[in-house]
PDB file of all heavy atoms in Angstrom:
ATOM      1  N   PRO O   1      16.996   0.726   0.518  1.00 84.00           N
ATOM      2  CA  PRO O   1      15.774   0.549   1.312  1.00 84.00           C
ATOM      3  C   PRO O   1      15.810  -0.740   2.142  1.00 84.00           C
ATOM      4  O   PRO O   1      14.882  -1.550   2.104  1.00 84.00           O
ATOM      5  CB  PRO O   1      14.681   0.501   0.247  1.00 84.00           C
ATOM      6  CG  PRO O   1      15.362  -0.080  -0.937  1.00 84.00           C
ATOM      7  CD  PRO O   1      16.782   0.423  -0.891  1.00 84.00           C
ATOM      8  N   SER O   2      16.864  -0.940   2.903  1.00 87.00           N
ATOM      9  CA  SER O   2      17.046  -2.202   3.623  1.00 87.00           C
ATOM     10  C   SER O   2      15.923  -2.468   4.618  1.00 87.00           C
ATOM     11  O   SER O   2      15.435  -3.600   4.725  1.00 87.00           O
ATOM     12  CB  SER O   2      18.407  -2.216   4.323  1.00 87.00           C
ATOM     13  OG  SER O   2      18.544  -1.082   5.142  1.00 87.00           O
ATOM     14  N   THR O   3      15.454  -1.471   5.332  1.00 87.00           N
ATOM     15  CA  THR O   3      14.371  -1.662   6.290  1.00 87.00           C
ATOM     16  C   THR O   3      13.091  -2.058   5.571  1.00 87.00           C
ATOM     17  O   THR O   3      12.385  -2.980   5.967  1.00 87.00           O
ATOM     18  CB  THR O   3      14.147  -0.406   7.143  1.00 87.00           C
ATOM     19  OG1 THR O   3      15.348  -0.105   7.851  1.00 87.00           O
ATOM     20  CG2 THR O   3      13.002  -0.596   8.138  1.00 87.00           C
ATOM     21  N   PHE O   4      12.780  -1.352   4.473  1.00 84.00           N
ATOM     22  CA  PHE O   4      11.552  -1.623   3.740  1.00 84.00           C
ATOM     23  C   PHE O   4      11.555  -2.980   3.065  1.00 84.00           C
ATOM     24  O   PHE O   4      10.515  -3.556   2.835  1.00 84.00           O
ATOM     25  CB  PHE O   4      11.324  -0.528   2.701  1.00 84.00           C
ATOM     26  CG  PHE O   4      10.967   0.795   3.283  1.00 84.00           C
ATOM     27  CD1 PHE O   4      11.836   1.862   3.186  1.00 84.00           C
ATOM     28  CD2 PHE O   4       9.789   0.988   3.972  1.00 84.00           C
ATOM     29  CE1 PHE O   4      11.534   3.090   3.737  1.00 84.00           C
ATOM     30  CE2 PHE O   4       9.461   2.225   4.530  1.00 84.00           C
ATOM     31  CZ  PHE O   4      10.352   3.255   4.410  1.00 84.00           C
ATOM     32  N   LEU O   5      12.734  -3.478   2.714  1.00 86.00           N
ATOM     33  CA  LEU O   5      12.829  -4.780   2.021  1.00 86.00           C
ATOM     34  C   LEU O   5      12.989  -5.946   2.987  1.00 86.00           C
ATOM     35  O   LEU O   5      13.028  -7.097   2.555  1.00 86.00           O
ATOM     36  CB  LEU O   5      13.989  -4.758   1.035  1.00 86.00           C
ATOM     37  CG  LEU O   5      13.857  -3.740  -0.099  1.00 86.00           C
ATOM     38  CD1 LEU O   5      15.094  -3.759  -0.983  1.00 86.00           C
ATOM     39  CD2 LEU O   5      12.599  -4.031  -0.945  1.00 86.00           C
ATOM     40  N   SER O   6      13.108  -5.672   4.268  1.00 90.00           N
ATOM     41  CA  SER O   6      13.323  -6.727   5.259  1.00 90.00           C
ATOM     42  C   SER O   6      11.995  -7.168   5.875  1.00 90.00           C
ATOM     43  O   SER O   6      11.343  -6.403   6.575  1.00 90.00           O
ATOM     44  CB  SER O   6      14.263  -6.238   6.368  1.00 90.00           C
ATOM     45  OG  SER O   6      14.266  -7.161   7.435  1.00 90.00           O
ATOM     46  N   GLU O   7      11.616  -8.417   5.613  1.00 91.00           N
ATOM     47  CA  GLU O   7      10.406  -8.973   6.211  1.00 91.00           C
ATOM     48  C   GLU O   7      10.539  -9.080   7.729  1.00 91.00           C
ATOM     49  O   GLU O   7       9.541  -9.047   8.444  1.00 91.00           O
ATOM     50  CB  GLU O   7      10.118 -10.350   5.641  1.00 91.00           C
ATOM     51  CG  GLU O   7       8.968 -10.546   4.689  1.00 91.00           C
ATOM     52  CD  GLU O   7       7.748  -9.676   4.824  1.00 91.00           C
ATOM     53  OE1 GLU O   7       6.866  -9.944   5.680  1.00 91.00           O
ATOM     54  OE2 GLU O   7       7.620  -8.726   4.068  1.00 91.00           O
ATOM     55  N   GLN O   8      11.756  -9.219   8.229  1.00 91.00           N
ATOM     56  CA  GLN O   8      11.961  -9.313   9.677  1.00 91.00           C
ATOM     57  C   GLN O   8      11.741  -7.956  10.349  1.00 91.00           C
ATOM     58  O   GLN O   8      11.145  -7.869  11.418  1.00 91.00           O
ATOM     59  CB  GLN O   8      13.373  -9.839  10.004  1.00 91.00           C
ATOM     60  CG  GLN O   8      13.591 -11.309   9.678  1.00 91.00           C
ATOM     61  CD  GLN O   8      13.708 -11.559   8.170  1.00 91.00           C
ATOM     62  OE1 GLN O   8      14.254 -10.750   7.434  1.00 91.00           O
ATOM     63  NE2 GLN O   8      13.180 -12.690   7.716  1.00 91.00           N
ATOM     64  N   GLN O   9      12.243  -6.882   9.731  1.00 90.00           N
ATOM     65  CA  GLN O   9      12.117  -5.564  10.325  1.00 90.00           C
ATOM     66  C   GLN O   9      10.770  -4.914  10.060  1.00 90.00           C
ATOM     67  O   GLN O   9      10.254  -4.160  10.889  1.00 90.00           O
ATOM     68  CB  GLN O   9      13.238  -4.637   9.807  1.00 90.00           C
ATOM     69  CG  GLN O   9      14.615  -5.073  10.282  1.00 90.00           C
ATOM     70  CD  GLN O   9      15.663  -4.105   9.772  1.00 90.00           C
ATOM     71  OE1 GLN O   9      15.455  -2.894   9.748  1.00 90.00           O
ATOM     72  NE2 GLN O   9      16.821  -4.646   9.377  1.00 90.00           N
ATOM     73  N   LEU O  10      10.209  -5.162   8.874  1.00 89.00           N
ATOM     74  CA  LEU O  10       8.940  -4.550   8.484  1.00 89.00           C
ATOM     75  C   LEU O  10       8.091  -5.605   7.769  1.00 89.00           C
ATOM     76  O   LEU O  10       8.033  -5.643   6.563  1.00 89.00           O
ATOM     77  CB  LEU O  10       9.197  -3.333   7.568  1.00 89.00           C
ATOM     78  CG  LEU O  10       7.995  -2.480   7.205  1.00 89.00           C
ATOM     79  CD1 LEU O  10       7.430  -1.800   8.427  1.00 89.00           C
ATOM     80  CD2 LEU O  10       8.370  -1.467   6.139  1.00 89.00           C
ATOM     81  N   PRO O  11       7.430  -6.482   8.540  1.00 88.00           N
ATOM     82  CA  PRO O  11       6.659  -7.552   7.906  1.00 88.00           C
ATOM     83  C   PRO O  11       5.418  -7.020   7.189  1.00 88.00           C
ATOM     84  O   PRO O  11       4.606  -6.314   7.769  1.00 88.00           O
ATOM     85  CB  PRO O  11       6.275  -8.476   9.073  1.00 88.00           C
ATOM     86  CG  PRO O  11       6.408  -7.646  10.307  1.00 88.00           C
ATOM     87  CD  PRO O  11       7.387  -6.539  10.001  1.00 88.00           C
ATOM     88  N   VAL O  12       5.316  -7.326   5.917  1.00 84.00           N
ATOM     89  CA  VAL O  12       4.146  -6.966   5.128  1.00 84.00           C
ATOM     90  C   VAL O  12       3.507  -8.166   4.468  1.00 84.00           C
ATOM     91  O   VAL O  12       2.342  -8.120   4.069  1.00 84.00           O
ATOM     92  CB  VAL O  12       4.472  -5.884   4.065  1.00 84.00           C
ATOM     93  CG1 VAL O  12       4.859  -4.583   4.713  1.00 84.00           C
ATOM     94  CG2 VAL O  12       5.531  -6.373   3.103  1.00 84.00           C
ATOM     95  N   GLU O  13       4.265  -9.237   4.342  1.00 83.00           N
ATOM     96  CA  GLU O  13       3.754 -10.444   3.664  1.00 83.00           C
ATOM     97  C   GLU O  13       3.040 -11.343   4.678  1.00 83.00           C
ATOM     98  O   GLU O  13       3.452 -12.464   4.935  1.00 83.00           O
ATOM     99  CB  GLU O  13       4.892 -11.191   2.969  1.00 83.00           C
ATOM    100  CG  GLU O  13       5.536 -10.369   1.881  1.00 83.00           C
ATOM    101  CD  GLU O  13       6.730 -11.059   1.243  1.00 83.00           C
ATOM    102  OE1 GLU O  13       6.948 -12.260   1.503  1.00 83.00           O
ATOM    103  OE2 GLU O  13       7.454 -10.394   0.492  1.00 83.00           O
ATOM    104  N   THR O  14       1.943 -10.818   5.231  1.00 85.00           N
ATOM    105  CA  THR O  14       1.227 -11.536   6.278  1.00 85.00           C
ATOM    106  C   THR O  14       0.104 -12.377   5.693  1.00 85.00           C
ATOM    107  O   THR O  14      -0.400 -13.277   6.363  1.00 85.00           O
ATOM    108  CB  THR O  14       0.669 -10.560   7.316  1.00 85.00           C
ATOM    109  OG1 THR O  14      -0.164  -9.601   6.643  1.00 85.00           O
ATOM    110  CG2 THR O  14       1.792  -9.845   8.060  1.00 85.00           C
ATOM    111  N   LEU O  15      -0.309 -12.119   4.489  1.00 83.00           N
ATOM    112  CA  LEU O  15      -1.381 -12.865   3.817  1.00 83.00           C
ATOM    113  C   LEU O  15      -0.887 -13.297   2.452  1.00 83.00           C
ATOM    114  O   LEU O  15       0.037 -12.725   1.887  1.00 83.00           O
ATOM    115  CB  LEU O  15      -2.639 -12.009   3.662  1.00 83.00           C
ATOM    116  CG  LEU O  15      -3.282 -11.473   4.952  1.00 83.00           C
ATOM    117  CD1 LEU O  15      -4.388 -10.490   4.613  1.00 83.00           C
ATOM    118  CD2 LEU O  15      -3.807 -12.616   5.800  1.00 83.00           C
ATOM    119  N   ASN O  16      -1.535 -14.311   1.882  1.00 86.00           N
ATOM    120  CA  ASN O  16      -1.217 -14.742   0.529  1.00 86.00           C
ATOM    121  C   ASN O  16      -1.588 -13.645  -0.455  1.00 86.00           C
ATOM    122  O   ASN O  16      -2.609 -12.976  -0.303  1.00 86.00           O
ATOM    123  CB  ASN O  16      -1.951 -16.035   0.172  1.00 86.00           C
ATOM    124  CG  ASN O  16      -1.479 -17.210   0.997  1.00 86.00           C
ATOM    125  OD1 ASN O  16      -0.309 -17.264   1.404  1.00 86.00           O
ATOM    126  ND2 ASN O  16      -2.345 -18.152   1.269  1.00 86.00           N
ATOM    127  N   THR O  17      -0.759 -13.446  -1.476  1.00 79.00           N
ATOM    128  CA  THR O  17      -1.042 -12.461  -2.496  1.00 79.00           C
ATOM    129  C   THR O  17      -2.203 -12.938  -3.356  1.00 79.00           C
ATOM    130  O   THR O  17      -2.170 -14.046  -3.866  1.00 79.00           O
ATOM    131  CB  THR O  17       0.209 -12.248  -3.389  1.00 79.00           C
ATOM    132  OG1 THR O  17       1.299 -11.868  -2.561  1.00 79.00           O
ATOM    133  CG2 THR O  17      -0.061 -11.180  -4.448  1.00 79.00           C
ATOM    134  N   PRO O  18      -3.258 -12.108  -3.497  1.00 79.00           N
ATOM    135  CA  PRO O  18      -4.400 -12.543  -4.321  1.00 79.00           C
ATOM    136  C   PRO O  18      -3.991 -12.671  -5.785  1.00 79.00           C
ATOM    137  O   PRO O  18      -3.237 -11.857  -6.309  1.00 79.00           O
ATOM    138  CB  PRO O  18      -5.438 -11.419  -4.151  1.00 79.00           C
ATOM    139  CG  PRO O  18      -4.854 -10.425  -3.238  1.00 79.00           C
ATOM    140  CD  PRO O  18      -3.456 -10.804  -2.911  1.00 79.00           C
ATOM    141  N   LYS O  19      -4.490 -13.702  -6.424  1.00 82.00           N
ATOM    142  CA  LYS O  19      -4.269 -13.903  -7.855  1.00 82.00           C
ATOM    143  C   LYS O  19      -5.383 -13.236  -8.669  1.00 82.00           C
ATOM    144  O   LYS O  19      -5.195 -12.862  -9.804  1.00 82.00           O
ATOM    145  CB  LYS O  19      -4.220 -15.395  -8.198  1.00 82.00           C
ATOM    146  CG  LYS O  19      -3.156 -16.151  -7.420  1.00 82.00           C
ATOM    147  CD  LYS O  19      -1.794 -15.905  -8.019  1.00 82.00           C
ATOM    148  CE  LYS O  19      -0.783 -16.797  -7.317  1.00 82.00           C
ATOM    149  NZ  LYS O  19       0.356 -16.122  -6.783  1.00 82.00           N
ATOM    150  N   GLN O  20      -6.542 -13.125  -8.078  1.00 79.00           N
ATOM    151  CA  GLN O  20      -7.670 -12.449  -8.732  1.00 79.00           C
ATOM    152  C   GLN O  20      -8.635 -11.991  -7.659  1.00 79.00           C
ATOM    153  O   GLN O  20      -8.561 -12.420  -6.518  1.00 79.00           O
ATOM    154  CB  GLN O  20      -8.374 -13.395  -9.713  1.00 79.00           C
ATOM    155  CG  GLN O  20      -8.969 -14.614  -9.045  1.00 79.00           C
ATOM    156  CD  GLN O  20      -9.566 -15.585 -10.046  1.00 79.00           C
ATOM    157  OE1 GLN O  20      -9.302 -15.500 -11.232  1.00 79.00           O
ATOM    158  NE2 GLN O  20     -10.402 -16.490  -9.586  1.00 79.00           N
ATOM    159  N   ALA O  21      -9.509 -11.067  -8.014  1.00 73.00           N
ATOM    160  CA  ALA O  21     -10.527 -10.576  -7.078  1.00 73.00           C
ATOM    161  C   ALA O  21     -11.892 -10.890  -7.661  1.00 73.00           C
ATOM    162  O   ALA O  21     -12.099 -10.757  -8.867  1.00 73.00           O
ATOM    163  CB  ALA O  21     -10.373  -9.068  -6.898  1.00 73.00           C
ATOM    164  N   PRO O  22     -12.825 -11.333  -6.818  1.00 70.00           N
ATOM    165  CA  PRO O  22     -14.142 -11.649  -7.343  1.00 70.00           C
ATOM    166  C   PRO O  22     -14.863 -10.411  -7.831  1.00 70.00           C
ATOM    167  O   PRO O  22     -14.663  -9.306  -7.282  1.00 70.00           O
ATOM    168  CB  PRO O  22     -14.856 -12.277  -6.141  1.00 70.00           C
ATOM    169  CG  PRO O  22     -14.143 -11.740  -4.959  1.00 70.00           C
ATOM    170  CD  PRO O  22     -12.724 -11.517  -5.373  1.00 70.00           C
ATOM    171  N   CYS O  23     -15.675 -10.556  -8.831  1.00 66.00           N
ATOM    172  CA  CYS O  23     -16.479  -9.463  -9.352  1.00 66.00           C
ATOM    173  C   CYS O  23     -17.720  -9.309  -8.461  1.00 66.00           C
ATOM    174  O   CYS O  23     -18.278 -10.287  -8.014  1.00 66.00           O
ATOM    175  CB  CYS O  23     -16.896  -9.796 -10.782  1.00 66.00           C
ATOM    176  SG  CYS O  23     -17.844  -8.512 -11.553  1.00 66.00           S
ATOM    177  N   VAL O  24     -18.079  -8.078  -8.178  1.00 66.00           N
ATOM    178  CA  VAL O  24     -19.288  -7.828  -7.408  1.00 66.00           C
ATOM    179  C   VAL O  24     -20.371  -7.487  -8.416  1.00 66.00           C
ATOM    180  O   VAL O  24     -20.215  -6.574  -9.228  1.00 66.00           O
ATOM    181  CB  VAL O  24     -19.080  -6.638  -6.435  1.00 66.00           C
ATOM    182  CG1 VAL O  24     -20.361  -6.330  -5.691  1.00 66.00           C
ATOM    183  CG2 VAL O  24     -17.951  -6.949  -5.487  1.00 66.00           C
TER     184      VAL O  24
END
C-alpha cells in the first residue's frame, strides 16, 4: 500500500491526532 502509506502522495495527517474527546 505504498500510495496509502505515503504522506506526500496521500496526505491525511493534516491535524493533530486527538488524545481524548470531550463529553457532551
